[in-house]
């Protein structure tokens, strides 16, 4: 029996939630009110920003060497660039200059978190709340920290404390949505994500999470939620991919193909190529075309094992058993115990 390797990229809920929780913890709001750029555009913007922002920070610190906020700003810059030891040095200098500024202590908590010093991060956040009980940023970061600890009861307590201070915190509703989703309470999660988009209709990630939850329930509302996310920026390749995957999962292959092709017109995507290959292999039984798409996915990522397996399978189904055998063996060199490859190769032999 032929075994088809299923899709690799299906936007697994837990992985998305964890990444989003981390991104918000570091101070980046989950919502995206700016149009999302392509990867190449983002790289160019980052290069320019690194030059201009870093030079500006250094010049400002040179002019005002005793200004704690400037060191705090540069510490946050180093957090973004992943230079955590430099961030720690700068925020420590900022604290020496001003021990009573809660925002500086929050930066220190972020640095400790980035360095995986989670206990220290929590201690600093607790200290910040004692210093400033109305500090919603510290409360939300504590909530996110306990969310990652999977202590959902305490996480919800802190987020509710933040909302009692400011009921218009869209990130707070988003975090409550993530927490209820992790607890398996889908209805409450949907309600909280809806609150988030009521506060901020441009909250991209909340629309995506609403779509994911409705799609899991096979509710056609999912399509509208995904479309709402895409409407924020019609060039957003992530949103285009998600909609393509949604159409594919629901059997609307024509729309799925159009979305993937639209994405590929904007940038290369191993997952879009893979899914086009999967559609041609499984549904259209156009094996030569499937081979082309799987090869394109492998050109981007040579370790895309699902693409390599399905390419071998497409070769086998097209009658090219010798090349199929070569590809199965190539996969087994990379993944020696790949059961499906072993099974197919044994049938060929």
């Amino acid at each position: 029996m032929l075994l088809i390797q299923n899709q690799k990229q299906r936007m697994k809920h837990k992985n998305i939630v964890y990444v989003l929780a981390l991104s918000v913890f570091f101070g980046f709001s989950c919502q995206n009110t700016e149009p999302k750029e392509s990867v190449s555009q983002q790289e160019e913007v980052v290069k320019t920003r690194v030059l201009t922002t870093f030079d500006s920070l250094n010049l400002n610190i040179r002019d005002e060497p005793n200004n704690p906020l400037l060191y705090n700003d540069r510490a946050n810059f180093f957090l973004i660039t992943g230079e955590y030891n430099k961030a720690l040095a700068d925020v420590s200098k900022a604290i020496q200059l001003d021990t009573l500024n809660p925002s500086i202590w929050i930066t220190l908590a972020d640095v400790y978190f980035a360095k995986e010093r989670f206990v220290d991060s929590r201690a600093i956040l607790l200290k910040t709340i004692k210093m400033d009980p109305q500090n919603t940023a510290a409360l939300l970061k504590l909530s996110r920290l306990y969310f990652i600890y999977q202590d959902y009861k305490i996480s919800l307590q802190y987020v509710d404390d933040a909302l009692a201070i400011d009921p218009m915190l869209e990130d707070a509703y988003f975090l409550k949505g993530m927490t209820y989703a992790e607890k398996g309470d889908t209805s409450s999660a949907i309600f909280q994500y809806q609150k988030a988009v009521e506060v901020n209709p441009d909250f991209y990630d909340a629309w995506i999470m609403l779509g994911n939850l409705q799609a899991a329930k096979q509710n056609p509302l999912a399509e509208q939620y995904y479309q709402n996310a895409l409407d924020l920026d019609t060039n957003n390749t992530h949103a285009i991919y998600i909609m393509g995957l949604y159409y594919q999962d629901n059997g609307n292959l024509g729309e799925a193909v159009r979305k993937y092709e639209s994405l590929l017109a904007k940038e290369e995507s191993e997952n879009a190529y893979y899914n086009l290959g999967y559609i041609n292999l499984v549904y259209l039984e156009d094996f030569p075309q499937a081979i082309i798409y799987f090869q394109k996915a492998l050109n981007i990522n040579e370790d895309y094992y699902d693409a390599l397996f399905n390419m071998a399978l497409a070769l086998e189904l097209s009658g090219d058993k010798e090349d199929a055998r070569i590809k199965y063996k190539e996969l087994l060199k990379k993944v020696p115990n790949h059961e499906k490859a072993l099974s197919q190769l044994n049938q060929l032999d």
Side-chain angles (χ1 to χ4, degrees):
M1 181 177 68
L2 296 177
L3 303 169
I4 297 172
Q5 189 69 24
N6 203 354
Q7 289 164 280
K8 177 183 179 184
Q9 299 292 331
R10 284 190 172 272
M11 304 303 294
K12 294 183 182 297
H13 173 68
K14 185 169 289 188
N15 290 339
I16 297 174
V17 165
Y18 185 72
V19 171
L20 290 172
L22 291 181
S23 68
V24 178
F25 186 91
F26 285 122
F28 308 117
S29 177
C30 282
Q31 76 266 24
N32 182 13
T33 58
E34 299 285 335
K36 293 199 174 183
E37 300 155 317
S38 69
V39 172
S40 60
Q41 289 173 321
Q42 288 173 347
E43 288 173 349
E44 290 303 315
V45 170
V46 167
K47 288 178 183 176
T48 304
R49 190 175 296 148
V50 166
L51 290 174
T52 59
T53 304
F54 186 60
D55 291 344
S56 177
L57 286 168
N58 287 336
L59 288 172
N60 290 337
I61 288 173
R62 186 194 66 181
D63 293 340
E64 299 182 63
N66 294 317
N67 186 333
L69 295 181
L70 293 178
Y71 290 100
N72 190 58
D73 288 343
R74 195 169 66 178
N76 279 294
F77 174 85
F78 284 133
L79 265 176
I80 294 171
T81 60
E83 299 173 271
Y84 302 140
N85 288 333
K86 291 181 179 180
L88 182 58
D90 269 351
V91 74
S92 298
K93 176 67 174 178
I95 289 173
Q96 288 176 9
L97 294 168
D98 184 355
T99 61
L100 299 178
N101 190 319
S103 66
I104 298 175
W105 288 103
I106 288 174
T107 301
L108 179 60
D110 287 349
V111 174
Y112 282 150
F113 187 90
K115 293 171 69 67
E116 299 186 359
R117 293 171 58 177
F118 304 127
V119 174
D120 290 333
S121 181
R122 179 176 61 181
I124 294 300
L125 290 171
L126 289 170
K127 178 176 181 176
T128 304
I129 290 173
K130 286 183 179 179
M131 184 186 307
D132 180 10
Q134 301 294 302
N135 194 305
T136 57
L139 289 167
L140 286 182
K141 287 177 187 291
L142 264 174
S143 177
R144 293 173 189 124
L145 190 57
Y146 278 99
F147 171 85
I148 292 168
Y149 288 157
Q150 296 184 320
D151 191 334
Y152 302 131
K153 181 178 180 180
I154 295 180
S155 176
L156 287 171
Q157 287 175 354
Y158 279 119
V159 78
D160 283 338
D161 288 345
L163 284 170
I165 297 166
D166 183 355
M168 299 300 287
L169 293 171
E170 63 259 37
D171 285 346
Y173 295 115
F174 185 84
L175 183 53
K176 288 189 77 171
M178 291 196 299
T179 304
Y180 283 123
E182 284 294 288
K183 293 175 65 177
D185 188 347
T186 302
S187 296
S188 294
I190 289 172
F191 177 79
Q192 296 301 328
Y193 289 134
Q194 287 173 333
K195 291 284 290 183
V197 295
E198 286 174 12
V199 174
N200 179 10
D202 293 337
F203 201 150
Y204 174 83
D205 290 318
W207 286 120
I208 290 293
M209 297 303 278
L210 280 168
N212 289 345
L213 290 177
Q214 296 293 1
K217 296 172 63 177
Q218 297 184 321
N219 189 325
L221 272 174
E223 181 178 1
Q224 183 58 59
Y225 288 140
Y226 289 140
Q227 187 61 55
N228 289 348
L230 184 57
D231 286 344
L232 296 175
D233 174 18
T234 56
N235 290 315
N236 184 333
T237 54
H238 174 261
I240 295 171
Y241 177 79
I242 293 298
M243 288 207 72
L245 190 58
Y246 171 76
Y247 288 130
Q248 181 177 342
D249 286 345
N250 286 275
N252 192 342
L253 301 183
E255 281 299 320
V257 169
R258 279 188 282 275
K259 288 299 181 186
Y260 294 141
E261 290 177 343
S262 171
L263 188 163
L264 291 168
K266 302 176 189 303
E267 67 180 32
E268 294 282 280
S269 167
E270 64 189 81
N271 295 320
Y273 281 130
Y274 178 87
N275 288 349
L276 285 168
Y278 188 89
I279 288 170
N280 278 274
L281 172 63
V282 177
Y283 300 107
L284 305 181
E285 297 186 356
D286 186 342
F287 306 128
Q289 188 61 53
I291 292 167
I292 292 171
Y293 283 128
F294 289 134
Q295 183 59 63
K296 287 183 177 182
L298 288 164
N299 289 343
I300 299 173
N301 178 8
E302 63 181 10
D303 292 326
Y304 202 152
Y305 303 137
D306 291 353
L308 183 54
F309 175 85
N310 280 349
M311 182 179 181
L313 184 57
L315 285 164
E316 181 180 349
L317 291 170
S318 69
D320 191 348
K321 298 187 183 299
E322 187 54 39
D323 280 346
R325 184 178 287 106
I326 291 171
K327 292 300 179 183
Y328 286 132
K329 289 181 178 179
E330 181 182 336
L331 177 56
L332 287 168
K333 286 182 181 179
K334 297 182 177 185
V335 188
N337 296 318
H338 196 289
E339 293 183 3
K340 293 181 179 181
L342 284 169
S343 175
Q344 293 304 121
L345 190 58
N346 287 336
Q347 291 184 49
L348 284 176
D349 292 338

